[in-house]
Structure formats: structure tokens, C-alpha cells
Amino acid sequence: MSLFRRKSADRPDSSAAPVTEEPSAARPRGYTPSKKELGRETPKRPVAGRRPAGPTKPLTKEEAREQRRAARAESAAEFRREGGPRDRGPERLLARNVVDSRRTVGTWFFGGALIVLIGSNQAMPPAIRLASNLVWGALALGVVIDSILISRKIKKLVRERFPNSGERMGSLYLYAIMRSITFRRMRAPAPQVNIGDKI
């Protein structure tokens, strides 16, 4: 018997399955094995209670047009009710209430401007042209005086009720003046006070 021959007890059992391990160098650091590799399956969500996804019917041109019209009407109603980003803030609400609680000369400004435009035509007699120019000057002066009074009232109320306000007063005055020359029914957001209410 050879000295270098292995004994049968020392021979590895060929019937045992070879264990192959994936070298750790092939896996990146922080590798997390998936559930499939661990022999587990991800449980599926229950189908009960879920609406089956049926085929969607394409809209006709008339239905799509009606849908867009309804979306525009809803957006306009929301803007009329709540306003836009520039209308946010308690100071802006106060300025709106000050303007909406009084009659302003500015609401007659555009109507008067139309009359002045017609009356100042060269085909009109000189007396009508002179009268239209006087009306134009009176309207412009009235808007200026009314804007000054509105701005003074807003300044007083804002300093009383919001002493730590960071709102720029010039921007607030311009916001109120632009609202004062807009017809009451066309103002957005819609007026929340009646004419003559105390602010």
C-alpha cells in the first residue's frame, strides 16, 4: 500500500451535493437579498373591492367641448368666489371691504370716458365738445380725490388692526384704487359687504 494513498474514510462523500456559495466579492457592499432569493414570495393584493378596469370609451368632440366648457365655468366661479393669489391676506380683504362699502367715482369713470369720447368728436358742435371736456376733467378730479380718501382710510385701518403687517402700503393702495374703478358686479372676489356697512 502506498504511503500517499488516502484512506476511504478520508475521502469526501461524492453523494453529498456540493455547496456553492457566491463569493462575497461579487456582491456590492450593503447588498440586500431579494425575497425571491430568500425563498419567499410577495403577497398579492386582494382583488375584492377593486373596480375592474374596463375599456374607456373615447369622448366625442361635443362631449369634450362640453367638458372643457364646464371646467372653465367652474374655474371662473371659483375665481369669482375666492380670487387669485394677489387677493390673499387679511390686509387685502380689509382694502376690498373699504372699497365695497362705499360708492366710488371710479365706477362711473369708464362710462364717462365713453361719453367724452363721443362728445369730443370733431363732428360735434363746439358747445358739446367743451361740455365733454369739462365732464372728463371733473371725472378725473373725482377719481383722484376718491383715491386719496380711500388710501387714507386703508392706511388708518391697517395701522390700527395690523400694526405688525409686512404688506407694502403702496401696493395696497394701488390694489384698492384698481378695485374702486371696476364696476361692482365685475369685481373679483365678489363683494362681501353692502354699501354703507361700517368697516
Side-chain angles (χ1 to χ4, degrees):
M1 184 177 291
S2 174
L3 295 174
F4 300 101
R5 181 178 292 179
R6 299 177 64 181
K7 296 181 180 179
S8 61
D10 296 337
R11 292 179 184 176
D13 189 3
S14 59
S15 63
V19 179
T20 59
E21 292 185 0
E22 189 178 350
S24 58
R27 295 180 178 176
R29 190 174 182 182
Y31 173 79
T32 304
S34 64
K35 291 185 177 181
K36 187 176 181 180
E37 292 176 358
L38 297 175
R40 288 180 288 175
E41 293 185 1
T42 305
K44 295 184 178 181
R45 295 180 181 178
V47 185
R50 288 167 55 182
R51 186 179 297 174
T56 58
K57 183 181 178 182
L59 297 176
T60 61
K61 290 184 178 180
E62 291 77 13
E63 291 174 343
R65 191 181 301 116
E66 186 64 29
Q67 200 173 51
R68 289 194 299 269
R69 188 181 296 115
R72 283 196 300 268
E74 184 180 353
S75 177
E78 183 180 357
F79 180 78
R80 168 82 176 153
R81 189 173 56 252
E82 300 179 5
R86 71 186 187 97
D87 301 305
R88 305 284 191 266
E91 296 90 349
R92 298 287 172 120
L93 176 61
L94 178 62
R96 289 198 301 271
N97 291 340
V98 168
V99 173
D100 296 336
S101 65
R102 57 190 295 161
R103 298 186 187 276
T104 59
V105 182
T107 55
W108 305 99
F109 184 75
F110 290 109
L114 181 62
I115 294 173
V116 169
L117 183 64
I118 296 172
S120 61
N121 193 353
Q122 295 295 329
M124 294 292 178
I128 294 179
R129 282 186 286 172
L130 178 62
S132 64
N133 289 332
L134 291 176
V135 169
W136 174 256
L139 279 173
L141 183 62
V143 168
V144 170
I145 294 173
D146 202 21
S147 300
I148 292 172
L149 294 176
I150 289 173
S151 300
R152 289 179 65 183
K153 187 169 183 179
I154 289 174
K155 182 179 181 180
K156 178 183 176 183
L157 291 177
V158 167
R159 287 188 173 178
E160 287 178 359
R161 301 182 186 181
F162 309 104
N164 299 324
S165 173
E167 184 78 24
R168 290 185 301 171
M169 299 305 295
S171 175
L172 201 59
Y173 298 156
L174 183 61
Y175 176 75
I177 291 168
M178 294 303 295
R179 188 175 178 88
S180 69
I181 63 176
T182 307
F183 293 112
R184 186 177 178 87
R185 292 185 179 181
M186 298 176 62
R187 292 173 183 171
Q192 300 181 6
V193 295
N194 297 320
I195 295 176
D197 289 351
K198 188 175 180 181
I199 305 301

